[in-house]
Each structure stands twice: as C-alpha cells, then as structure tokens.
C-alpha cells in the first residue's frame, strides 16, 4: 500500500496535478536545511559542497516538494558515483533573458530567477539517455532498483513551480542540472524563514509530542506552520479565524497544550481568543505572531505576558519557543 501511494503521488507530481502548499521563503535557508539531511544519504566517499548566494532568494514554493526534488537529485548523483566523487550544489540569481531559456520557459518568462546548480563527478550520460531522463518509468538501473520516477518527479515539481531545468552531461564527465525558479515579489516577505536542521535545532533531532491549536487567517502561513510543527512531532489543529479557534478549543479543552495565534484576525482578534480561552482554561499557554508593527499590536490590549514573535519567524526560534511550553 505504501509503495502504491508513493507511486500515485509521484505520478500526480509529474502530471502537475498534486495539490501545492506554497509560501514565500528564502531558497538559501530551505536548501541549507535540506542539505543537512541530504548529507546523510551520501556515503563517506562522496563529498557534498554547498554554496549559497550572498543575497536572499525569496521564492513562492511548496517546501515539501522542493525538498523531494533535491533529495531525488542527490540520490541520482549518489547512484552515478558508486566509486565516490563530489557533488556541488550552488544557488544564485539569473535574469530572464530569453536567449538563455528553453522554449517552454520563454512562454512563461519571468524577470529574475533563483538558480540551483547541482553538479556531480559521476559516470555521466550519453545523448540518447539524456533525451529520456525525465520520461516517467525510464531508468538505467537494474530491475527492482528504481521506478524511473525520480527525475520525472523533479521535472514535474519544477514545471509546477513555473520553473525550468537544463541538463549537461557526457560519458565519464559527470552531470550538471541547472534549475531556475521565479523569484517572488520582494514585497511579499517570507512568513517563516526556514533555517537549520529539519526539526529546527542542531544536535536536537528528537521528535516531541503534544497538541497545538493554530489560529491564523493566512492560508499559506497556516499550512506552512502545520507542516513544520507536524514534522517536529506535534499534533496540529488548524483554525482559519478567531471564532473557529475558540470553537475548536472548546471541543478539546483538556487536550490542547498550546495555542499559536495571529494577533489580528477576522471575527475575533487574537486578544479576544486569548481572553475567551483563558476563561475556559487559565493555564493554557499562548504564542502570538504578527507582521504588524508593535504599536499596532499594543493597541490590541494586554496579552498577559504571552510570547510574541514577529513575522517572518525564524524556524529554530519558533520551535525553541514551542518546546519551552511542551
């Protein structure tokens, strides 16, 4: 069942029909986090060299899909270097010059792109193989050692993000994948800065338990928080506004360990949610998050010494605060 589910998801990604949970984040931070996990997939005889651009690279992406894309590229590079070698991953910026883009991308041209280059020193590919590597179910591996969907998924994920991919390779000279993803509008800041290990803190990979209620009217941020905290081991309940947050708390008064709430929301503000929940359970812990200035937040009233984090929130900081309560 697990393999069938994974195969179905892969095909959905390839055909660009898998639902996306996108949010604006810094590609450098996202890839740094992924790199720390990807390093575990490589044997000792393969060196991973990671170099990120000096400037932030805001991209509107589904972080989970980008993680899957990079893991597939790392795995592909590993399999191409059975005797060892070097995998270099770099990020940068490139203008949307039609002379450098494929026919598909010219039709979907953007002004500037974040660029990921993954190059390995493996056995490389001939032209015939290169022409088919993104075809679903095509593989050069032995029977039973690959589905042929790894690079097909990479292709599908990039297309789903309105990006482009180029490949350069030749036998015994390694392979270079160059990926372009449209840079996001810099006026739409990241709501969660992904950095550090997958669970947020170096040398602390232990998953935790506990139930967290998230009250947030921004759908993308709500889903990013859900994915991030679920990955860290927590059970997450979502509420799209203040009124729904109070109702969901009433449904599970004794089970919810922590409430993470936006300050300004439809129907009931964060302050109202705080007051009504504390009437039901005076010991319930709160973390508030807001993208508004502190003077706007101050006008909302007294939050009783509850923790307040300003958006965009660094992922290690958020997880550290959560772990102080649970």
């Amino acid at each position: 069942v697990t393999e069938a589910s994974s195969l179905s998801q892969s095909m959905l990604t390839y055909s660009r029909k898998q639902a996306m949970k996108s949010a604006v984040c810094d590609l450098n931070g996202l890839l740094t986090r992924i790199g720390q996990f990807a390093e575990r997939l490589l044997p000792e005889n393969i060196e991973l060299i990671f170099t990120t651009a000096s400037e932030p690279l805001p991209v509107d992406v589904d972080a989970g899909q980008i993680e899957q894309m990079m893991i597939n590229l790392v795995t592909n590079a590993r399999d191409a270097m059975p005797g060892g070698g070097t995998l270099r991953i770099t990020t940068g910026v490139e203008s949307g010059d039609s002379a450098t883009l494929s026919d598909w991308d010219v039709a979907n041209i953007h002004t500037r792109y974040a660029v990921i280059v993954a190059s390995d020193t493996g056995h490389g590919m001939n032209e015939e193989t290169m022409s088919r590597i993104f075809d679903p179910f095509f593989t050069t591996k032995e029977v039973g050692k690959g589905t042929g969907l790894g690079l097909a998924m990479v292709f599908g994920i990039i297309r789903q993000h309105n990006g482009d991919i180029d490949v350069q390779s030749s036998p015994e000279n390694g392979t270079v994948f160059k990926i372009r993803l449209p840079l996001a509008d810099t006026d739409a800041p990241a709501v969660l800065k992904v950095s550090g290990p997958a669970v947020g803190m170096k040398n602390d990979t232990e998953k935790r338990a506990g139930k967290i209620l998230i009250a947030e009217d921004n759908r993308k941020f709500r889903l990013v928080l859900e994915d991030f905290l679920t990955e860290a081991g927590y059970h997450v309940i979502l509420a799209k506004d203040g009124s729904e947050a109070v109702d969901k708390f009433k449904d599970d008064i004794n089970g919810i360990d922590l409430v993470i709430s936006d300050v300004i929301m439809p129907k009931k503000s964060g302050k109202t949610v705080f007051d009504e929940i504390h009437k039901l359970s005076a010991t319930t812990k709160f973390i508030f998050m807001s993208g508004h200035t502190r003077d706007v937040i101050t006008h909302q009233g007294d939050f009783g010494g509850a923790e307040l984090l300003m958006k965009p929130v660094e992922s290690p900081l958020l997880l550290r605060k959560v772990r102080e309560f649970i």
Side-chain angles (χ1 to χ4, degrees), residues 31-318:
L31 292 192
T32 298
R33 182 186 114 181
I34 293 170
Q36 292 171 337
F37 172 75
E39 201 166 23
R40 304 174 196 170
L41 299 176
L42 300 175
E44 293 181 356
N45 63 354
I46 295 180
E47 180 183 15
L48 176 62
I49 300 175
F50 231 99
T51 307
T52 56
S54 57
E55 62 181 294
L57 301 177
V59 288
D60 191 358
V61 297
D62 181 319
Q65 288 195 19
I66 299 301
E67 179 177 344
Q68 183 65 61
M69 176 189 79
M70 294 306 300
I71 294 303
N72 287 3
L73 285 176
V74 169
T75 301
N76 187 74
R78 179 197 65 192
D79 295 344
M81 298 184 285
T86 302
L87 172 60
R88 289 182 172 85
I89 298 176
T90 62
T91 65
V93 177
E94 189 173 284
S95 65
D97 180 358
S98 61
T100 67
L101 302 175
S102 70
D103 292 340
W104 184 92
D105 204 44
V106 169
N108 297 273
I109 196 165
H110 295 266
T111 305
R112 299 175 76 223
Y113 290 82
V115 177
I116 305 169
V117 178
S119 60
D120 66 61
T121 57
H123 49 59
M125 297 176 284
N126 57 33
E127 290 187 7
E128 181 182 356
T129 300
M130 283 180 59
S131 68
R132 298 187 61 193
I133 57 173
F134 297 126
D135 293 347
F137 303 115
F138 173 76
T139 179
T140 58
K141 298 177 183 177
E142 298 175 26
V143 175
K145 292 190 175 181
T147 63
L149 283 172
L151 291 178
M153 279 190 70
V154 169
F155 182 86
I157 288 169
I158 293 168
R159 284 290 191 259
Q160 197 164 12
H161 286 84
N162 293 317
D164 193 30
I165 182 168
D166 291 332
V167 186
Q168 295 180 353
S169 186
S170 61
E172 307 308 322
N173 286 312
T175 302
V176 179
F177 288 94
K178 185 175 184 179
I179 297 164
R180 301 177 183 89
L181 297 171
L183 281 173
D185 183 356
T186 53
D187 291 332
V191 291
L192 179 65
K193 292 182 179 179
V194 183
S195 58
V199 296
M201 289 184 288
K202 192 173 182 179
N203 300 323
D204 187 359
T205 57
E206 177 188 354
K207 289 186 181 292
R208 304 296 177 89
K211 190 176 291 186
I212 301 173
L213 171 62
I214 295 175
E216 169 63 55
D217 63 305
N218 184 303
R219 179 180 177 275
K220 289 184 177 180
F221 192 22
R222 201 164 59 238
L223 295 175
V224 167
L225 288 173
E226 179 187 26
D227 285 348
F228 177 70
L229 293 171
T230 298
E231 182 183 356
Y234 297 103
H235 177 71
V236 177
I237 300 172
L238 299 179
K240 65 180 179 298
D241 55 52
S243 180
E244 186 176 47
V246 173
D247 290 340
K248 289 195 172 183
F249 185 85
K250 289 178 180 178
D251 292 338
D252 196 5
I253 291 178
N254 297 319
I256 294 174
D257 302 290
L258 173 68
V259 178
I260 298 178
S261 176
D262 194 4
V263 174
I264 299 176
M265 294 183 292
K267 297 187 179 180
K268 291 182 180 179
S269 68
K271 177 62 167 62
T272 301
V273 171
F274 178 83
D275 290 340
E276 292 190 12
I277 285 180
H278 270 191
K279 288 179 181 179
L280 300 168
S281 174
T283 59
T284 298
K285 304 297 183 182
F286 268 77
I287 293 177
F288 285 99
M289 292 187 291
S290 180
H292 294 275
T293 59
R294 287 189 177 271
D295 59 324
V296 172
I297 297 169
T298 300
H299 289 149
Q300 298 295 309
D302 180 16
F303 291 89
E307 195 72 49
L308 174 62
L309 302 178
M310 304 303 295
K311 298 176 184 177
V313 182
E314 290 282 357
S315 55
L317 172 61
L318 173 60

